[in-house]
Amino acid sequence: MRQTVHFGAGNIGRGFIGALFSESGYHVTFVDVAEQVINKLNEEKGYQVKLAQSQEETISIGNVSGINNMTHEDDVIEAIQQATYLTTAIGPNILPRIAPLIARGLAKRVAATDDKLYVIACENQIGATDILKQHILDNLDEETKNQLEGKVYFFNSAVDRIVPIQDQSSLDVLVEPYYEWVVETAEDIPQVTGMKMVADLAPFIERKLFTVNTGHAVIAYLGYLAGKSTIDETLADEEIVTQVRETLKETGAYLMKEYGLDEEEHLAYINKNIERFKNAYLNDGVTRVGRAPIRKLGPEDRLIRPATQAQKAGLPYTHLAKAIAAALLFDHPEDEEAMKIQEMIRETGPEGVLKTISGLSEDSDITKEVVRQYKTFQG
Ligand SMILES: NC(=O)C1=CN([C@@H]2O[C@H](COP(=O)(O)OP(=O)(O)OC[C@H]3O[C@@H](n4cnc5c(N)ncnc54)[C@H](O)[C@@H]3O)[C@@H](O)[C@H]2O)C=CC1
Ligand SMILES: O=P(O)(O)OC[C@H]1O[C@](O)(CO)[C@@H](O)[C@@H]1O
């Protein structure tokens, strides 16, 4: 049986990527620091993926096991020796932390075999696999780096499936029925059910990140400010739906200009995603979707990049500016990054945050518009 190693046995790991490998006939070894999850995977050897829809539908996932990378590094290195794929869904900020162990696994592997290994980071970040690759290379000597050539391949990817926070007492995962996994490769690679291969990922990941993730973030931050707890509850407010749609028209204008997307098709894509967000069976919290606002306000992420790109292209960005202002007001006490932003605002004002986190100068038109809207929110 073919083997795959997947870092991150969380929502996307169990509910999406690991499940697709299992369905494709692979044994999936999950690597995670969550001891309870690892123990359950080894005891139960399977779990259920439940679709969030009116008609009950459940998919049984088998052939899975787990390794704790904090306590069993050698077992992870051994699993990497046997694998055809190595994937991650761990959060972009964690990639540098797992790279040294992956590097050790790869060094041992390329010294012993020419068998090909395909590495794919499945994270919400442009070029996540390139970033992981660089961290891995930083942990290898020159000779080993040369040995990777023709043996270890790195492919960027875009992952799209809404998987909310789960009941932690079980391995089962509730997921939305829709999913899309796009992988950039020109290689003839072993088939995995549900993996779509493309020669150029840029239009796919930007369309996804600046529609699905921008839209979701706008709902989360406006919902939080309006005192809502879930995404579907927030979308019962027609004013917020309008704000989401107008924001996605702004990102859409940039995407259409940059990638020559068809206007009618793109508007249908926006509408389809707004309907996805309304799925009440997901019961998805605004604080989950708004989590990690420092990452989400990064220069290349879902709010800032479309705004800077729109500005460069002479396109409107006022609704994006409003969403950025709302993100700056996300003060959820349990979110470390949100708390850090609030501290920075107290010290340097919203302008300081936009400069340090988003790379926007204090006198930029985007900063001025965001600050104006920030003050309007404050009343
Ligand atoms: N949940 C969703 O709807 C979607 C999430 N994504 C992306 O997928 C990635 C994972 O997200 P989720 O699955 O939602 O997060 P999650 O929090 O459910 O899963 C992450 C897992 O990584 C583990 N982990 C953390 N640090 C670790 C370390 N040092 N070593 C090993 N394991 C470690 C955690 O214990 C957890 O099980 C993120 O990049 C996210 O942006 C992408 C599309 C949809
Ligand atoms: O907030 P993160 O960590 O970027 O990832 C979760 C996001 O990805 C999505 O699943 C969209 O693919 C949304 O649920 C959510 O907005």
Side-chain angles (χ1 to χ4, degrees):
M1 183 173 237
R2 279 196 152 141
Q3 307 282 322
T4 189
V5 173
H6 179 87
F7 282 76
N11 297 345
I12 290 295
R14 297 204 310 279
F16 185 7
I17 303 301
L20 286 183
F21 275 108
S22 168
E23 287 185 280
S24 308
Y26 281 76
H27 177 91
V28 185
T29 302
F30 286 102
V31 177
D32 205 295
V33 288
E35 178 72 8
Q36 272 192 348
V37 174
I38 295 301
N39 289 344
K40 274 206 192 95
L41 282 164
N42 290 328
E43 282 156 20
E44 298 172 20
K45 300 178 176 60
Y47 58 87
Q48 309 287 318
V49 171
K50 296 176 184 167
L51 300 188
Q53 58 187 22
S54 58
Q55 248 176 314
E56 208 168 282
E57 201 178 324
T58 297
I59 302 149
S60 288
I61 302 300
N63 284 314
V64 295
S65 58
I67 305 174
N68 184 332
N69 51 317
M70 294 297 276
T71 54
H72 289 74
E73 289 193 341
D74 288 345
D75 291 348
V76 178
I77 290 170
E78 205 40 53
I80 293 173
Q81 308 313 299
Q82 315 302 327
T84 303
Y85 280 94
L86 187 160
T87 49
T88 74
I90 205 159
N93 300 344
I94 310 289
L95 293 175
R97 291 198 223 158
I98 57 168
L101 183 56
I102 297 177
R104 283 168 60 200
L106 296 186
K108 183 171 179 194
R109 180 181 168 116
V110 294
T113 176
D114 289 344
D115 287 354
K116 292 176 178 175
L117 174 71
Y118 306 102
V119 178
I120 309 171
C122 305
E123 316 285 351
N124 272 342
Q125 186 172 52
I126 294 172
T129 309
D130 290 339
I131 293 167
L132 174 63
K133 179 181 179 182
Q134 193 50 56
H135 288 299
I136 292 171
L137 295 181
D138 290 345
N139 283 277
L140 292 173
D141 59 38
E142 285 308 314
E143 194 191 336
T144 313
K145 278 187 216 171
N146 293 334
Q147 281 182 315
L148 298 188
E149 195 63 38
K151 296 181 188 174
V152 181
Y153 294 80
F154 294 87
F155 305 138
N156 284 311
S157 91
V159 277
D160 190 6
R161 178 172 233 178
I162 300 172
V163 190
I165 290 173
Q166 307 291 319
D167 166 8
Q168 298 299 316
S169 65
S170 157
L171 286 178
D172 297 350
V173 201
L174 177 78
V175 303
E176 68 164 333
Y178 175 88
Y179 68 81
E180 188 176 48
W181 183 24
V182 189
V183 173
E184 184 178 64
T185 178
E187 299 294 320
D188 183 16
I189 59 177
Q191 219 190 334
V192 183
T193 309
M195 181 204 281
K196 177 173 168 174
M197 288 169 270
V198 299
D200 180 15
L201 188 69
F204 288 91
I205 190 142
E206 288 221 340
R207 185 182 76 137
K208 187 260 167 177
L209 207 56
F210 302 154
T211 311
V212 184
N213 294 101
T214 305
H216 228 179
V218 176
I219 303 163
Y221 294 131
L222 293 179
Y224 182 82
L225 286 183
K228 314 283 184 193
S229 62
T230 64
I231 295 293
D232 67 289
E233 187 194 341
T234 305
L235 286 177
D237 181 335
E238 278 308 318
E239 257 184 56
I240 295 183
V241 176
T242 304
Q243 167 70 19
V244 175
R245 202 180 297 284
E246 292 306 312
T247 315
L248 295 186
K249 280 190 195 159
E250 289 178 357
T251 62
Y254 155 66
L255 291 167
M256 285 187 273
K257 192 165 185 195
E258 181 72 17
Y259 297 111
L261 305 182
D262 178 80
E263 185 172 0
E264 216 172 293
E265 270 178 38
H266 190 64
L267 288 178
Y269 180 70
I270 290 174
N271 288 335
K272 181 181 84 177
N273 280 298
I274 293 176
E275 289 313 306
R276 280 174 70 196
F277 299 149
K278 287 181 183 166
N279 186 339
Y281 298 97
L282 287 167
N283 193 28
D284 202 2
V286 293
T287 51
R288 179 196 81 86
V289 178
R291 70 184 173 190
I294 292 183
R295 170 162 60 87
K296 289 189 166 90
L297 286 168
E300 297 302 313
D301 218 280
R302 63 209 73 186
L303 297 171
I304 304 296
R305 183 169 161 85
T308 53
Q309 292 299 102
Q311 188 199 28
K312 270 189 216 155
L315 296 165
Y317 53 82
T318 48
H319 292 89
L320 277 161
K322 184 170 180 178
I324 296 166
L328 291 172
L329 287 156
F330 179 67
D331 60 0
H332 180 46
E334 285 165 36
D335 191 306
E336 228 177 273
E337 293 192 11
M339 287 296 96
K340 175 88 185 122
I341 288 179
Q342 296 316 306
E343 192 187 318
M344 289 173 75
I345 290 176
R346 282 192 292 276
E347 285 165 7
T348 62
E351 298 90 342
V353 177
L354 294 173
K355 189 174 172 198
T356 312
I357 292 177
S358 313
L360 297 171
S361 70
E362 282 182 31
D363 60 356
S364 88
D365 290 341
I366 300 177
T367 298
K368 285 179 194 155
E369 180 59 17
V370 172
V371 172
R372 189 185 71 75
Q373 303 231 31
Y374 179 86
K375 288 182 178 155
T376 308
F377 270 125
Q378 285 187 315

